[in-house]
Amino acid sequence: MRKLWVILCLVGMSSVAWAQESSPRVSVLPFAIHSRQDTVKTQKTVMELLVRRLEAEGVKTVDPQDVEKSVRPGEAVQNEEQARALGRRLGADYVVTGSLNEIGNSISLDARLVDVSARKKTEALFAEEKGMENLAAAANQIVQQMAVHLLARAVISEVVIQGNERIEAEAIKSNVKSKKGELLRSEQVAEDIKAIYKMGYFEKVDANVTDTSTGKLLTFVVLENPTIQEVRIKGNNKIKEKDILAAISTRQYTVLQKNVIAEDVQKILKLYSQKGYFNAEVKPRTEFPKDPRKATVVFDIDENKKVYIQEIAFTGNKSFSSRKLRSTMQVKEKSLLSLVTDRGILQKDILETDVDRLTVFYHDKGFMDAKVGTPEITRRDDGFYINIPVDEGERYKVTSVKLQGDLIQDEAKIQEKLKSKPEEYFSREKLREDIDVLNKSYMNEGYAYVQVEPNVQRHSEEQTSDITYNVKKGDLIHIGRIYVTGNTKTRDKVIRRELQLAEGDTFSSEKMEQSITKLKKLDFFEEVEIAPSKGDQADIMNLTVKVKEKLTGAISVGGGFASDDGLFASSEIIQRNLFGRGQTLGVKGYFGQDAQRYVASFTEPWLFDRHIIAGIDVYNWLREYNDFTKDATGVRLRTGYPFGNYSRLNVYYTLENADVTDVDEDASAYIKSQEGKLLKSSITVGMERDTTDHPFMPTRGSINAVSSEFSSQYLGSDTDFIKSEVKSGWYFPIYWKLVGFVKGEFGYIDDTDPDKPVPVYENFFLGGINSLRAFKWGDVGPKDEQGEIIGGRTYGLATVEMLFPLIEKLGIRGVGFFDAGNVYTDIEDFSVSDFRTDAGAGIRWSSPFGPLRIEWGYNLDPEPGEDRSRWQFSAGAFF
């Protein structure tokens, strides 16, 4: 650094020397003044300004007092010959003469630089500014122009960059203010050197000045920083190296920049603070293992332990406990969940949002003047302690709720729908809900552009408030044109038939929402949007249905493993939107050591363009039981009729030819009685209702189903029985992002003809990934006298699940579950106390390749010979 300043001083000294060595002597003569200003005073001011600036540039000047002795006050020399004569008398090499002109708010200096010897031509100089207050700036411009002519040897002839290898010369020059054709200034060169250093790419910067026939050659000689050959991250365990490298700017094969490395240290520390490692330390070091021009940058990380929020406290809260206030916040104290989640991590941006949440909470509870202050964060040895000041203010009650404006219903009927009620505490949330209720009520009646403006009057002395909703209904809107966009495969009519609004209908926001829901439930599209736009007339609205299609064909595989049953697998090839018609065609296969099943199916969801579902299944089912083998071939005809928004009535006809063979000699009499072929002809009637919000990852809603199968000799069947089942499952949000699921199932078979016993393979069996997950499929049920499971006539099953996000962005959920159930010989034997139970956990992923489930069940009360636990899985792949 000392060397740099020595160089700059030498440059400065030499530049002054250049100016002094070649500087001619100049005499500034009085200017002619064309202005409202005092002529003599203004003449003197102009001369002083020009002389002072010329001397600052290193130009020798004639003393203005000597000039004044040679020219009478107020006079000006306009003739060049007179000017030269006066210049010779004053001993000057050059004289400067001219005029000052003031016109309106503008001033100008028109000057001439006259060579006394007359060997050089006279140079015209000009400067213009706004107002007399800028006279000094105009004089400076004239001097700058004079300096170029007077100090020709001190003018920059060229600016050159030397020593740069990777940084372009033009990129360096863009930071340099010394330009070709300008006067060389030592102070400007010093600033230029600083500017090049600030670029961060150079280890050393020098400036050299050499004389040329055309002026001064200014050369900046740079030495670039070393090249980064490698960037290493050491000591990181909690954050992956690729994530750290992606966050920092130090890169391989770039120029080493110390300021960038310092910034990268802060970026790494920020990454760790987001994970709760506020004590993390990052020490950068630069190594030159082989070549002093090739650097290796190493970031040594000492992660240390996580720092959690130990306590969140409040001051000033009187009406609500600190626990209640904490429950409204997203930032939480450390708990057991901190072992598997980010709970307890301090994130200041989220904490700032929590201040708004707390304020909203108080306003919703009637504290209209409540204020929540800035959280005070204290760092101690064991973690963070946060105190949040609260000023609750007074609590307001509602004295009246009124409606004004365009009312389409009786005011009393509308008020019944409103949440805000007189004599209750004021709530901003209820106010928002009321606006939403009013908007929807009017929009469902066709008033799409309704405006609801709430007016809340507070009475501070009484702590009361009056609410008035002003309603402007606007025009009654009808649907004009409906456009469908984004569908490249799915046919327009497949989309249009799900819409609850048609061209010409009165607008309804409820029907538009139902249309979006129905389109989403098709599961043909990644995105669904219905965008309204104004039609040709004020009372007409056009709708544009925008969809983004997804893959609807799938190849799925599933299976499980048991120590006594080995591997089993299942597969399915299905297209849920065949040729874009909304039809489903699929082939399923189950492959195991003891069973094989094949099913080909086709479904038409709109038979004859009416919302009647029709389908057919053709199947073959071969299963090897312990004492016999069943080989069945059959066909099933299906039809269904949706009604309401979520319900459907189903009717099936099944014709199955089953053959029971390979009956063991030691089998029970019951099993031996099943040997031979048996024809089943049956009708199944069922009803189901599905209100869930997602086909695989629901968070709310329910699935309820009831069905009965009638097999009778009157249908040509060899068996007579009625097989009935009831299933009910409910999803509901619990807390944070936890979702609860409760399911119950019950089934019963009624043997209507004792002379034609129900086939053993029609009995109920439990076990597997969809029932009791600690057991293999069909492993739970009554046994015969030989100890073999033969299923039963009735069963019960209960499941409780807790679902929670693991990696929310990727759609990965965790699940903890409890299963209880059993199968009984007859309904008289049914007893909840005999239920088999298991518990376990698993992972569910709505992957790009289809739904994936991996679950482990633990047998809570194993019987002799049973496995203690079992893994179950199913997976899929889309095409």
Side-chain angles (χ1 to χ4, degrees):
M1 195 66 184
R2 181 179 297 176
K3 181 179 179 182
L4 169 64
W5 286 112
V6 170
I7 292 171
L8 292 178
C9 290
L10 290 175
V11 170
M13 292 168 62
S14 62
S15 66
V16 173
W18 304 326
Q20 291 175 345
E21 178 185 4
S22 59
S23 175
R25 194 162 184 259
V26 178
S27 175
V28 180
L29 303 181
F31 274 43
I33 306 301
H34 305 293
S35 169
R36 299 186 300 271
Q37 310 296 325
D38 181 85
T39 299
V40 175
K41 185 177 179 181
T42 306
Q43 278 183 333
K44 187 174 182 179
T45 300
V46 172
M47 289 179 64
E48 289 177 350
L49 286 171
L50 292 173
V51 168
R52 191 182 309 130
R53 289 301 306 153
L54 283 168
E55 289 180 345
E57 294 291 342
V59 177
K60 292 179 289 184
T61 61
V62 175
D63 191 330
Q65 292 183 359
D66 293 338
V67 176
E68 290 174 357
K69 293 176 183 178
S70 302
V71 182
R72 285 186 294 181
E75 290 187 357
V77 179
Q78 298 294 324
N79 185 282
E80 288 188 16
E81 288 303 323
Q82 291 180 352
R84 287 192 181 95
L86 186 56
R88 284 192 292 270
R89 197 168 21 202
L90 293 170
D93 298 306
Y94 289 89
V95 292
V96 180
T97 183
S99 64
L100 167 66
N101 306 288
E102 182 180 14
I103 302 174
N105 192 37
S106 297
I107 62 168
S108 64
L109 287 176
D110 294 279
R112 296 184 301 279
L113 179 64
V114 181
D115 181 9
V116 174
S117 67
R119 288 192 295 270
K120 296 181 179 180
K121 69 173 183 177
T122 299
E123 299 289 344
L125 314 171
F126 179 77
E128 185 176 19
E129 290 288 343
K130 291 288 184 182
M132 288 296 292
E133 63 272 15
N134 292 313
L135 179 60
N140 187 54
Q141 292 182 47
I142 295 294
V143 171
Q144 290 295 317
Q145 298 172 46
M146 291 170 58
V148 172
H149 301 290
L150 295 170
L151 306 175
R153 291 187 59 194
V155 172
I156 300 172
S157 62
E158 194 66 59
V159 177
V160 178
I161 309 295
Q162 290 183 355
N164 57 310
E165 297 177 1
R166 296 177 300 277
I167 309 303
E168 295 289 338
E170 292 304 319
I172 301 173
K173 285 184 181 180
S174 65
N175 291 274
V176 172
K177 292 185 177 179
S178 296
K179 303 295 182 183
K180 178 181 178 180
E182 295 183 354
L183 196 64
L184 179 67
R185 304 174 188 282
S186 59
E187 64 273 14
Q188 185 58 63
V189 173
E191 290 299 321
D192 290 339
I193 291 175
K194 291 180 182 178
I196 295 173
Y197 263 115
K198 283 183 179 179
M199 293 177 69
Y201 299 117
F202 305 104
E203 187 176 315
K204 185 179 179 182
V205 182
D206 289 330
N208 294 330
V209 179
T210 54
D211 290 323
T212 68
S213 59
T214 57
K216 300 294 182 180
L217 175 62
L218 176 59
T219 304
F220 291 98
V221 182
V222 298
L223 177 63
E224 292 181 351
N225 288 333
T227 302
I228 299 173
Q229 289 296 105
E230 186 180 4
V231 180
R232 295 179 184 173
I233 310 295
K234 291 188 175 181
N236 60 303
N237 294 315
K238 303 302 180 182
I239 299 180
K240 294 179 180 179
E241 180 176 323
K242 66 176 184 179
D243 294 333
I244 296 175
L245 291 174
I248 65 178
S249 300
T250 302
R251 297 277 192 274
Q252 192 179 22
Y253 306 127
T254 60
V255 177
L256 178 68
Q257 295 177 268
K258 294 182 179 179
N259 60 322
V260 173
I261 293 175
E263 291 171 0
D264 286 342
V265 168
Q266 298 305 314
K267 290 177 182 178
I268 296 172
L269 289 173
K270 185 177 180 180
L271 280 180
Y272 274 94
S273 65
Q274 290 172 349
K275 296 288 184 180
Y277 293 90
F278 290 91
N279 288 330
E281 298 178 9
V282 181
K283 297 178 181 177
R285 53 189 170 91
T286 305
E287 301 174 347
F288 303 89
K290 296 180 180 179
D291 187 334
R293 305 303 302 160
K294 296 180 179 180
T296 296
V297 179
V298 182
F299 292 95
D300 286 313
I301 300 173
D302 187 357
E303 295 179 331
N304 294 314
K305 293 182 178 180
K306 272 189 177 183
V307 181
Y308 289 98
I309 299 172
Q310 297 294 337
E311 181 182 73
I312 300 176
F314 298 85
T315 55
N317 55 311
K318 301 175 182 177
S319 303
F320 302 99
S321 67
S322 295
R323 180 178 180 181
K324 179 63 177 178
L325 296 180
R326 282 193 293 267
S327 68
T328 68
M329 299 174 62
Q330 190 171 342
V331 171
K332 302 293 183 182
E333 297 174 340
K334 179 184 178 183
S335 71
L336 290 176
L337 288 176
S338 300
L339 297 173
V340 294
T341 68
D342 289 335
R343 182 187 174 98
I345 301 299
L346 175 61
Q347 294 175 288
K348 292 185 178 180
D349 54 339
I350 297 178
L351 184 60
E352 291 175 2
T353 306
D354 280 337
V355 171
D356 296 331
R357 288 192 181 94
L358 289 165
T359 304
V360 170
F361 170 80
Y362 268 101
H363 290 177
D364 287 343
K365 299 300 181 182
F367 293 89
M368 302 175 72
D369 301 323
K371 297 178 181 178
V372 179
T374 302
E376 301 170 1
I377 304 172
T378 304
R379 173 79 177 271
R380 300 179 187 173
D381 293 339
D382 59 340
F384 292 105
Y385 289 77
I386 300 174
N387 183 72
I388 303 176
V390 175
D391 181 5
E392 293 183 342
E394 299 295 335
R395 196 173 189 182
Y396 288 73
K397 278 191 173 183
V398 177
T399 53
S400 66
V401 180
K402 299 178 181 178
L403 285 91
Q404 292 181 352
D406 304 326
L407 303 183
I408 59 174
Q409 297 179 12
D410 182 77
E411 181 176 353
K413 290 182 178 180
I414 299 177
Q415 284 191 342
E416 289 178 2
K417 304 176 184 178
L418 302 180
K419 302 293 184 181
S420 299
K421 304 290 184 183
E423 302 305 320
E424 293 184 357
Y425 288 110
F426 175 83
S427 170
R428 292 196 182 277
E429 178 62 28
K430 290 182 179 179
L431 189 73
R432 286 189 289 270
E433 290 179 4
D434 288 345
I435 295 173
D436 188 53
V437 166
L438 290 170
N439 276 322
K440 286 185 176 180
S441 296
Y442 278 76
M443 292 173 75
N444 288 337
E445 296 294 329
Y447 299 97
Y449 304 118
V450 61
Q451 295 180 3
V452 180
E453 296 180 0
N455 181 19
V456 180
Q457 291 186 341
R458 286 191 290 178
H459 308 290
S460 301
E461 295 181 359
E462 297 84 8
Q463 286 87 52
T464 60
S465 61
D466 296 318
I467 302 174
T468 303
Y469 297 104
N470 296 306
V471 183
K472 296 180 181 179
K473 66 181 181 180
D475 294 329
L476 184 66
I477 303 300
H478 291 83
I479 304 300
R481 301 296 301 273
I482 298 178
Y483 305 96
V484 178
T485 63
N487 55 317
T488 58
K489 175 185 176 182
T490 308
R491 302 191 179 192
D492 275 14
K493 77 170 187 177
V494 173
I495 296 173
R496 290 179 182 273
R497 68 195 184 191
E498 299 296 333
L499 302 179
Q500 302 301 293
L501 288 168
E503 294 173 348
D505 285 355
T506 302
F507 174 82
S508 169
S509 63
E510 184 179 2
K511 288 183 178 180
M512 191 161 75
E513 290 175 2
Q514 290 173 358
S515 300
I516 294 174
T517 301
K518 284 182 172 292
L519 287 172
K520 287 182 177 179
K521 282 211 166 188
L522 287 176
D523 202 26
F524 298 166
F525 312 108
E526 289 182 10
E527 299 174 6
V528 176
E529 179 188 359
I530 299 181
S533 60
K534 290 188 177 181
D536 297 335
Q537 302 175 23
D539 61 345
I540 298 297
M541 174 187 288
N542 296 329
L543 299 178
T544 301
V545 183
K546 301 177 182 179
V547 298
K548 182 179 179 182
E549 292 185 316
K550 64 191 293 187
L551 298 174
T552 55
I555 300 175
S556 62
V557 296
F561 177 81
S563 58
D564 57 352
D565 197 34
L567 289 170
F568 67 89
S570 63
S571 65
E572 178 181 13
I573 301 175
I574 186 172
Q575 173 54 256
R576 296 179 292 103
N577 189 13
L578 187 64
F579 306 124
R581 299 173 182 268
Q583 299 165 336
T584 300
L585 178 65
V587 177
K588 301 178 183 179
Y590 178 91
F591 317 94
Q593 293 175 321
D594 297 326
Q596 293 87 44
R597 185 172 186 176
Y598 309 94
V599 181
S601 61
F602 173 79
T603 302
E604 167 58 71
W606 286 70
L607 186 63
F608 308 126
D609 285 331
R610 300 183 64 183
H611 206 179
I612 299 174
I613 301 169
I616 182 172
D617 303 320
V618 179
Y619 62 88
N620 175 261
W621 186 4
L622 174 68
R623 180 164 184 85
E624 297 178 4
Y625 293 86
N626 290 333
D627 292 330
F628 66 95
T629 299
K630 175 201 173 187
D631 188 359
T633 301
V635 61
R636 173 182 292 174
L637 301 177
R638 296 177 280 107
T639 185
Y641 178 73
F643 61 94
N645 293 322
Y646 311 104
S647 303
R648 188 170 75 180
L649 176 67
N650 299 312
V651 179
Y652 307 137
Y653 171 73
T654 304
L655 181 64
E656 178 184 278
N657 187 18
D659 189 8
V660 175
T661 60
D662 300 331
V663 178
D664 288 348
E665 294 181 0
D666 297 333
S668 63
Y670 173 67
I671 297 295
K672 289 181 179 180
S673 68
Q674 305 287 318
E675 190 171 11
K677 293 185 177 182
L678 208 62
L679 182 68
K680 180 177 78 169
S681 178
S682 68
I683 292 177
T684 302
V685 179
M687 188 182 301
E688 62 181 41
R689 178 178 171 83
D690 183 352
T691 64
T692 56
D693 56 355
H694 193 278
F696 180 66
M697 306 282 280
T699 60
R700 62 178 70 245
S702 63
I703 303 175
N704 298 283
V706 57
S707 65
S708 287
E709 180 182 11
F710 303 88
S711 177
S712 172
Q713 59 182 333
Y714 298 107
L715 297 173
S717 180
D718 294 334
T719 60
D720 276 86
F721 64 86
I722 300 175
K723 188 177 186 178
S724 302
E725 287 186 86
V726 177
K727 300 179 181 180
S728 180
W730 297 77
Y731 293 90
F732 48 91
I734 299 178
Y735 168 73
W736 182 55
K737 296 179 181 179
L738 297 177
V739 176
F741 174 60
V742 177
K743 181 180 72 171
E745 297 183 26
F746 176 79
Y748 173 64
I749 300 175
D750 184 10
D751 190 350
T752 56
D753 187 347
D755 295 331
K756 296 182 178 181
V758 178
V760 63
Y761 48 79
E762 292 289 351
N763 286 341
F764 294 117
F765 298 84
L766 288 181
I769 195 169
N770 294 313
S771 57
L772 293 170
R773 281 164 272 195
F775 303 85
K776 66 180 180 180
W777 183 91
D779 207 20
V780 177
K783 299 177 181 179
D784 61 14
E785 58 267 24
Q786 306 298 326
E788 299 296 335
I789 296 174
I790 58 174
R793 304 289 180 84
T794 187
Y795 83 97
L797 176 67
T799 296
V800 178
E801 292 182 349
M802 183 74 71
L803 301 126
F804 52 90
L806 288 178
I807 307 177
E808 194 169 5
K809 292 181 179 179
L810 298 179
I812 299 178
R813 263 182 174 182
V815 59
F817 62 82
F818 170 80
D819 302 321
N822 209 340
V823 182
Y824 303 92
T825 303
D826 212 336
I827 193 168
E828 290 82 4
D829 303 323
F830 186 90
S831 174
V832 175
S833 61
D834 294 332
F835 274 14
R836 307 300 307 279
T837 57
D838 64 43
I843 295 174
R844 295 178 184 177
W845 180 24
S846 183
S847 75
F849 309 103
L852 170 69
R853 291 176 63 184
I854 302 175
E855 295 174 14
W856 173 81
Y858 182 79
N859 191 338
L860 295 176
D861 187 19
E863 295 180 354
E866 290 183 339
D867 289 336
R868 193 74 185 183
S869 64
R870 191 173 303 277
W871 285 96
Q872 308 275 358
F873 81 92
S874 66
F878 284 111
F879 67 89

